[in-house]
Amino acid sequence: MNKIPPQRLIDTLLEYYKAGNFNKVETLARNLSKDFPEHPFSWKVLNIILKNKNNISDSLIAGKKALKLDPYDPETHYNVANTLKQLNKFDEAINYYQDAIKLNSNYIDAYNNLAITQKEKGNLEEAINIYKKLITIKPNFAEAYNNLGVILRDSRKLKDAEKNYKKAIQINPDYAEAYNNLGITIR
C-alpha cells in the first residue's frame, strides 16, 4: 500500500470541502486516514470537520495525530488550539496558538485567537500586548482594534478604548460592532 494517497483523492476531498459537502468530506477523510494512516492531511481535515460537527473529543484525537505526523504545520497547531479552547482548556490552547505563531510569525488568526483566549482567562495585559503586536503585523485589521478597545474598556482605559474603536471604524466604516462599542464607551 502506498504511504501517500493519490492526488485525485485529495483533490476530491478538497472539492467536497469547497462545495460544503461536509458529510462526504468526513467519509472520505476517515477512509483516507484508514488507508494512509501515516499521512497527516486526512487527520488534519478530520480535526476541522469533527470540531465543526461538535464531535470535540474525536476532533482533538485527529488533530493530535496530524501533529504527531507533521509537527511543523502551523495550521494544525492552530486548529488543535481551537479545539482545546472549545473544551475550555485555555492553558493548552495558548501553548498551541504560541506554537502556531512560532512556526508562522505572521499568523493573524493565531494571534487573534491567542489574545481572545488570554482575555477569557483574565490576562488582560497579555491580551493587550498581543493585539498591539497583531496591529503591527496587520495595521488595517479592524477587528484587532475593536477587540483591543473592548479590553481597554474593561481595563477602564476609556480614552484609549475610544481611540481604538474609531480606528476600527476608520478602517471599516460598516463595522457595526465597533460603532456599538464606541457608543457604550462614550455614553
Side-chain angles (χ1 to χ4, degrees), residues 61-72:
I61 291 167
K64 287 189 173 183
K65 177 71 175 177
L67 279 178
K68 183 178 178 187
L69 297 169
D70 184 4
Y72 302 106

Side-chain angles (χ1 to χ4, degrees), residues 136-155:
T136 64
I137 295 169
K138 189 173 180 182
N140 289 322
F141 189 29
E143 184 180 342
Y145 285 100
N146 179 68
N147 292 348
L148 177 56
V150 170
I151 296 168
L152 291 167
R153 184 183 69 218
D154 291 349
S155 300

Side-chain angles (χ1 to χ4, degrees), residues 8 27 79 86 97 110 144 148 177 182:
R8 66 178 170 70
T27 299
N79 292 331
Q86 194 167 345
Y97 287 131
L148 177 56
E177 185 179 346
L182 178 62

Side-chain angles (χ1 to χ4, degrees), residues 96-136:
Y96 281 94
Y97 287 131
Q98 290 170 335
D99 288 343
I101 291 166
K102 285 176 192 166
L103 293 166
N104 176 357
S105 62
N106 294 317
Y107 203 149
I108 303 303
D109 292 333
Y111 277 105
N112 193 48
N113 283 5
L114 175 59
I116 290 168
T117 305
Q118 290 286 14
K119 179 184 182 277
E120 289 177 4
K121 276 194 69 180
N123 299 333
L124 300 184
E125 285 303 315
E126 185 63 29
I128 288 169
N129 291 334
I130 294 165
Y131 276 121
K132 287 179 178 179
K133 171 74 174 170
L134 176 54
I135 287 167
T136 64

Side-chain angles (χ1 to χ4, degrees), residues 2-182:
N2 292 334
K3 293 188 182 240
I4 299 174
Q7 187 61 44
R8 66 178 170 70
L9 291 178
I10 292 174
D11 291 343
T12 301
L13 182 72
L14 292 171
E15 287 172 25
Y16 289 155
Y17 190 87
K18 288 177 187 173
N21 194 336
F22 300 123
N23 288 330
K24 284 188 177 182
V25 171
E26 181 182 354
T27 299
L28 184 52
R30 284 187 186 279
N31 288 338
L32 287 172
S33 68
K34 287 178 188 160
D35 294 343
F36 305 95
E38 300 303 314
H39 193 264
F41 183 72
S42 58
W43 295 107
K44 179 178 177 176
V45 171
L46 278 173
N47 172 229
I48 296 166
I49 291 297
L50 294 172
K51 180 187 170 294
N52 291 342
K53 291 181 131 189
N54 218 23
N55 186 346
I56 305 304
S57 59
D58 287 346
S59 169
L60 187 57
I61 291 167
K64 287 189 173 183
K65 177 71 175 177
L67 279 178
K68 183 178 178 187
L69 297 169
D70 184 4
Y72 302 106
D73 182 354
E75 282 184 359
T76 304
H77 282 275
Y78 172 78
N79 292 331
V80 169
N82 288 339
T83 304
L84 288 162
K85 184 177 179 296
Q86 194 167 345
L87 290 167
N88 295 320
K89 295 183 176 186
F90 297 130
D91 291 329
E92 285 182 75
I94 286 168
N95 290 334
Y96 281 94
Y97 287 131
Q98 290 170 335
D99 288 343
I101 291 166
K102 285 176 192 166
L103 293 166
N104 176 357
S105 62
N106 294 317
Y107 203 149
I108 303 303
D109 292 333
Y111 277 105
N112 193 48
N113 283 5
L114 175 59
I116 290 168
T117 305
Q118 290 286 14
K119 179 184 182 277
E120 289 177 4
K121 276 194 69 180
N123 299 333
L124 300 184
E125 285 303 315
E126 185 63 29
I128 288 169
N129 291 334
I130 294 165
Y131 276 121
K132 287 179 178 179
K133 171 74 174 170
L134 176 54
I135 287 167
T136 64
I137 295 169
K138 189 173 180 182
N140 289 322
F141 189 29
E143 184 180 342
Y145 285 100
N146 179 68
N147 292 348
L148 177 56
V150 170
I151 296 168
L152 291 167
R153 184 183 69 218
D154 291 349
S155 300
R156 296 287 184 223
K157 299 174 184 174
L158 301 181
K159 289 291 181 193
D160 290 335
E162 180 181 337
K163 185 170 64 172
N164 278 279
Y165 296 136
K166 287 180 178 178
K167 182 66 176 178
I169 292 166
Q170 178 188 353
I171 294 167
N172 179 2
D174 297 326
Y175 198 172
E177 185 179 346
Y179 283 105
N180 184 58
N181 287 330
L182 178 62

